[in-house]
């Protein structure tokens, strides 16, 4: 190799480093630093995806790793960021969604409590009642009666 060829390679290498640095700085300026922060809360769009994912699985279980993968995150990162955003665990969030669905179904007098329990992913009526009381502070039967009274009034 002669000197002119060697200096040409060196110049190309330096040019590529400069281009790479300029691009890296532009990317960092265009993307907020929280996008890479494992402690940042989930975005509104990410929370909607989580909500939809869990709502479609009210009747069954779910895997945190699978849910995290749908957002392109590790299980640990997702769990931390979800907690920071929702202030509950993913399982507690699922229970809240189940109870909300139960509240909606309780408005229909034709659906029995056991049918509501199964439709919301609970093993039986007592399982539904236990979680319902925890989140609503009254039994499903009492809630149904109260809704009926409110509709009449």
């Amino acid at each position: 190799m002669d000197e002119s060829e060697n200096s040409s390679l060196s110049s190309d290498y330096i040019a590529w480093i400069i281009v790479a640095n300029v691009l890296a700085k532009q990317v960092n300026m265009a993307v907020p630093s929280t996008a890479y922060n494992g402690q940042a809360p989930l975005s509104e769009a990410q929370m909607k995806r989580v909500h939809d994912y869990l709502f479609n699985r009210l009747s069954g279980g779910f895997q945190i790793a699978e849910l995290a993968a749908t957002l392109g995150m590790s299980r640990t990162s997702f769990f931390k960021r979800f907690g920071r955003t929702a202030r509950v665990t993913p399982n507690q969030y699922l229970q809240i969604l189940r109870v909300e669905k139960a509240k909606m179904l309780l408005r229909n007098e034709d659906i029995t409590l056991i049918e509501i329990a199964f439709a919301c992913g609970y093993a039986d009526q007592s399982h539904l009642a236990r979680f319902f009381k925890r989140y609503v502070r009254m039994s499903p039967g009492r809630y149904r009666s109260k809704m009926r009274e409110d509709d009449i009034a």
Side-chain angles (χ1 to χ4, degrees), residues 68-123:
T70 65
L71 298 175
M73 293 180 201
S74 72
R75 186 179 182 279
T76 304
S77 178
F78 166 75
F79 200 82
K80 286 178 183 177
R81 292 180 67 187
F82 181 85
R84 188 173 300 271
T85 306
R87 305 278 188 227
V88 294
T89 67
N91 192 49
Q92 289 169 328
Y93 191 81
L94 177 67
Q95 294 307 325
I96 292 166
L97 291 177
R98 286 177 171 170
V99 168
E100 288 302 316
K101 182 175 181 178
K103 285 168 65 175
M104 182 190 69
L105 294 174
L106 283 164
R107 293 180 181 274
N108 185 341
E109 295 284 333
D110 297 331
I111 305 174
T112 67
L113 290 177
I114 192 69
E115 290 171 330
I116 292 171
F118 290 147
C120 296
Y122 293 109

Side-chain angles (χ1 to χ4, degrees), residues 18 33-35 37 48 62 77 89 94 105 108 136-137 146:
I18 292 170
S33 62
T34 58
N37 184 350
K48 179 169 177 12
F62 71 97
S77 178
T89 67
L94 177 67
L105 294 174
N108 185 341
V136 184
R137 307 275 187 230
K146 187 171 178 354

